[in-house]
Amino acid sequence: MSLNKFSRTLTQEITNPAAKAMLYGIGLTSEDMNKAQIGIASTGYEGNPCNMHLNGLSVHVKKGIQENGMVGLIFHTIGVSDGMTNGNDGMSYSLPSRDIIADSIENVVGAQWYDGVIAVVGCDKNMPGAMMALARLNRPGMLVYGGTIRSGTYKGEKLDIVSAFEALGKKYAGTISDEDYEGVIRNSIPGAGACGGMYTANTMASSMEAMGLVLPNSSSYPATHEGKKEECLAIGAAMKVLLEKNICPRDIMNRHAFENAMTVVMALGGSTNAVLHYLAIAHSAGVSFTMKDIQDISDRTPLIADLKPSGKYYMEDVLAIGGMPAILKYLWQKGFLHGECLTVTGKTMAENLAEAPDLNFDTQKIIYPIEQPLKPTGHIQILYGNLATEGAVAKITGKEGERFEGLAKVCNREEEVMEYLSKGEIKAGHVVVIRNEGPKGGPGMPEMLKPTSALMGAGLGNSVAMITDGRFSGGTHGFVVGHVTPEAFDGGNIGLVQDGDKITIDAVENKIILHVSDEELAERRKLWKPIVSPHTSGVLRKYIKNVASASLGCVTDL
Ligand code: FES
């Protein structure tokens, strides 16, 4: 095999005999010295179902690499469990972990001069972090998704991670027994794999398949399916093609590929976090892709998937209807995807999809026909107004209506929602405003899954709206608006809202309005002070100093 332009082996032979000696020291042979070296970045760790099996998958990837005449060298990067950190201070570390993953992969591959890189990823922030690294490095590479979890069951009902949070809301509302509460908690997570609905992990996995950065079906093989192992073993042959043709990530991650990715997010009812992540990934790839572009895609893309959180089915059900390739093929045939985009198979999207099965609309119920969608346009709407002059992101599937007008119930921290809810102070007609939870104020722009799930569980999901400068989990459903920018910490008007203020959220006109005069807001601003952050050193301090607005993807390298 010819080495690509990043060949480190030849360079080291001339300039760095110590490196060559060290490579012999790790067990490489003379023959290995002329092979391409592939860094395999595993986000595996034992403490999270999404990541617990990834080190094992990385070993299969390495085997496939070795069998195809290259040297595979596994290294590790970090991960944070979004499920476990939701609702506690640990959530502040979740979004920063995306950028640490990107930085660490870039750092290792840049330093070690690997010819290519493969990232084995599982939980929410793993995928965008690794994609950012691939785009920055621009050396041949791809990702392998660890796969979705199987659903759990209790008393005949299918369960997942959101069931556990919603059980808490039912507990507050007194509509679940202690025994059933414990039963739901014990049975929601049956083993390895990422959270099972079209939440953030499966959203990013599906859309990165649409972007062409994984082998076909990577997003639809469950973690424990035999196909996942086969995919890992097949990576070696694909990597060889990328090296021989010198196909680099930026050859794949062009403007049309970003449009393909975001189209799939819209069509499948994916997570609002995809907005943040694709803005950040585009920044890493040097592609112009903005909130306006995302709104344009939303305007032209119907929501056609009956998947959780707002729908009925799990990601594990997708494989049975033909997997992600069948869905992509349908969207492509209907003119929603750019088929000419290059992928990590070395072929175009259209060439890959020629071999994909067709969706059978007589038998499958997950994907609706384009002509009879669940919603004619995308569920993600970018809103502007005096509450969000730089934009906010709403997730409106239509089930909850498209317009909400109500009175503000202000929570200066996420914890106050739970406090007010347990006291019965949040009532139908309220717009719950959760502030000081932005990228800097949170810090880390925490997800509000616990309050939204608790509201759902308390039976208020259809009668209460929620807005925040924080984020929402991919598991969130209900009338919710997040990513409000500027955030309260930066002086955004969300910091000036008072209990009882009237707020209008209009997902048709794309507006979010606080019905308070400019004069009154100016008076309130005179008394306003930003919160004092307790983070005076360490990683969160660095994050607060470097992070950009959510409207720019919360990147840390502007
Ligand atoms: Fe990892 Fe949900 S906690 S995907």
Side-chain angles (χ1 to χ4, degrees), residues 45 48-51 80-86 122-127 145 161 193-196 199-202 473:
Y45 64 101
N48 193 35
C50 326
N51 299 73
V80 161
S81 168
D82 279 85
M84 290 184 194
T85 53
N86 246 301
C123 199
D124 295 10
K125 305 302 173 296
N126 300 178
M127 278 75 75
Y145 179 45
I161 184 67
C195 294
Y199 312 144
T200 303
N202 281 324
S473 157

Side-chain angles (χ1 to χ4, degrees), residues 484-544:
V484 168
T485 55
E487 62 171 299
F489 189 89
D490 278 341
N493 283 346
I494 188 172
L496 306 179
V497 181
Q498 294 180 354
D499 278 347
D501 287 347
K502 190 165 108 178
I503 292 174
T504 300
I505 305 163
D506 189 330
V508 178
E509 297 287 324
N510 293 79
K511 294 220 176 338
I512 180 162
I513 305 294
L514 173 66
H515 295 275
V516 174
S517 68
D518 290 346
E519 294 74 23
E520 169 65 14
L521 288 176
E523 285 303 312
R524 292 184 189 180
R525 188 171 294 286
K526 288 179 192 166
L527 301 173
W528 175 84
K529 288 195 188 86
I531 56 162
V532 177
S533 174
H535 303 286
T536 54
S537 65
V539 66
L540 293 180
R541 179 66 187 155
K542 280 199 254 183
Y543 193 75
I544 292 165

Side-chain angles (χ1 to χ4, degrees), residues 381-456:
Q381 297 292 324
I382 311 298
L383 310 182
Y384 292 93
N386 64 348
L387 252 181
T389 52
E390 292 172 15
V393 178
K395 184 177 190 180
I396 310 284
T397 62
K399 288 185 179 173
E400 47 303 266
E402 294 185 305
R403 195 170 188 281
F404 194 100
E405 199 160 87
L407 301 181
K409 177 68 183 169
V410 177
C411 303
N412 282 309
R413 281 292 188 192
E414 176 190 4
E415 296 76 27
E416 289 184 7
V417 183
M418 309 309 284
E419 185 189 322
Y420 294 144
L421 196 58
S422 62
K423 289 183 189 161
E425 291 180 18
I426 295 177
K427 299 190 178 359
H430 272 148
V431 177
V432 178
V433 178
I434 314 174
R435 63 189 176 200
N436 301 313
E437 300 289 5
K440 294 176 188 164
M445 207 182 176
E447 290 182 349
M448 301 292 133
L449 179 59
K450 196 170 172 185
T452 52
S453 299
L455 281 175
M456 279 287 168

